[in-house]
Amino acid sequence: MTTTEESPTASGSGSNATANFQATRTYRAGQRTADPERVSAVVSAVLDGINRAVLDHEVTYDEFQAVKQWLIEVGEGGEWPLFLDVFVEHSVEEVAARSQDGTKGSILGPYYLPGQARLDTPASLPQRPDERGTPLVFSGRVEGTDGAPLPGAELDIWQADEQGYYSGFAPHLPDGNLRGVVVTDDHGCFEIHTIEPAPYQIPTDGPTGKMIEAAGWHPWRPAHLHLLVSAPGHRTITTQLYFRGGQWIDSDVARATKPELILDPSDTGDGTRSVEYHFVLEQG
Ligand code: MBD
Ligand code: FE
């Protein structure tokens, strides 16, 4: 099996995402026992959808066997977190968003790693000495839905580098690169110095990428910053921010963009770009 030790490619990242999911499961919700009626309702709907597709498209035995083989490969390649976060999480997030106020959310994705360095504002995300990419100064404020600033709020931020790789999921990157937990100042303000990320390509050499290619789709997500924004007494927001004019904004393979989440950085004149964003957290 390919690992990220041997190769920084997508199947490497995908299997790494499975290991990460299992290692960090306790950070995630969803351990409680489900109501049998709900299990029956949801599982029936999923199976109905699959059977409907088989009948409507007259799926053959050859195709059925190919699907079984592919499902086995997704598991063996460790790509279930990748596949599910790309193709399904956007609907789970849409449901969650129905009861959420304040800043719009987006999907978490497979590459969050808890426990990063805590940094006071103004903060520079950990970078290699020769980190490539356009410098970006990302600043703003965190406030409640009542407009009150939230000092001591945390922005847990992670992003791809200028080649589209995430630290922890590519062996050539140092641990913690372009990740950090930035704490707001007495006025709820933050300032983060980083670089603009590149678009992200689903690894083309793994089963998820092969399915995308077989269907003739593209494997790209637009460039984005990931954030978990939290403050005591407030509901944590999981979101992503994109860049105006960025490639794939209107055709994100993970369908995770929203118009409210698009940044429009301006040139500062010295090759740096700068942009502000205000986060609004719901009480409770
Ligand atoms: C990513 O970088 C990402 O954000 C998601 C949601 C899925 C795959 C890779
Ligand atoms: Fe991402």
Side-chain angles (χ1 to χ4, degrees), residues 52-65:
R52 193 75 264 151
V54 170
L55 297 170
D56 287 353
H57 297 278
E58 303 194 305
V59 170
T60 66
Y61 265 99
D62 268 0
E63 290 167 336
F64 182 49
Q65 302 298 48

Side-chain angles (χ1 to χ4, degrees), residues 61-263:
Y61 265 99
D62 268 0
E63 290 167 336
F64 182 49
Q65 302 298 48
V67 167
K68 280 190 222 166
Q69 180 56 33
W70 177 84
L71 289 165
I72 290 164
E73 284 169 20
V74 175
E76 286 179 348
E79 286 197 1
W80 279 119
L82 176 70
F83 180 89
L84 291 168
D85 292 353
V86 168
F87 290 110
V88 182
E89 190 181 357
H90 64 87
S91 292
V92 181
E93 196 284 323
E94 188 179 323
V95 172
R98 290 175 189 164
S99 60
Q100 189 170 307
D101 211 3
T103 299
K104 298 286 183 202
S106 184
I107 66 180
L108 179 70
Y111 300 141
Y112 174 61
L113 293 172
Q116 301 302 319
R118 263 177 83 89
L119 309 164
D120 286 329
T121 189
S124 283
L125 294 190
Q127 296 176 30
R128 293 165 287 178
D130 56 350
E131 194 74 47
R132 284 165 39 188
T134 304
L136 176 70
V137 180
F138 170 47
S139 59
R141 197 173 58 243
V142 182
E143 59 187 37
T145 43
D146 58 359
L150 294 172
E154 294 186 359
L155 294 99
D156 196 338
I157 181 167
W158 69 106
Q159 63 170 96
D161 68 7
E162 196 256 354
Q163 296 194 97
Y165 290 112
Y166 285 88
S167 64
F169 301 90
H172 64 291
L173 293 177
D175 284 349
N177 207 241
L178 298 175
R179 297 174 181 270
V181 180
V182 180
V183 183
T184 59
D185 67 13
D186 292 346
H187 306 103
C189 293
F190 65 88
E191 181 177 306
I192 301 169
H193 294 246
T194 182
I195 53 119
E196 289 191 348
Y200 173 85
Q201 183 179 23
I202 310 290
T204 52
D205 57 347
T208 304
K210 291 209 170 108
M211 185 211 71
I212 289 169
E213 196 193 346
W217 306 337
H218 82 247
W220 292 94
R221 298 211 60 225
H224 55 278
L225 304 172
H226 288 271
L227 292 131
L228 287 171
V229 185
S230 62
H234 292 73
R235 188 164 160 183
T236 299
I237 287 185
T238 303
T239 196
Q240 299 186 30
L241 295 171
Y242 304 89
F243 297 89
R244 185 162 312 284
Q247 212 177 356
W248 321 112
I249 283 264
D250 297 319
S251 64
D252 180 4
V253 66
R255 301 196 202 178
T257 63
K258 295 182 185 181
E260 298 87 348
L261 299 177
I262 299 176
L263 301 172

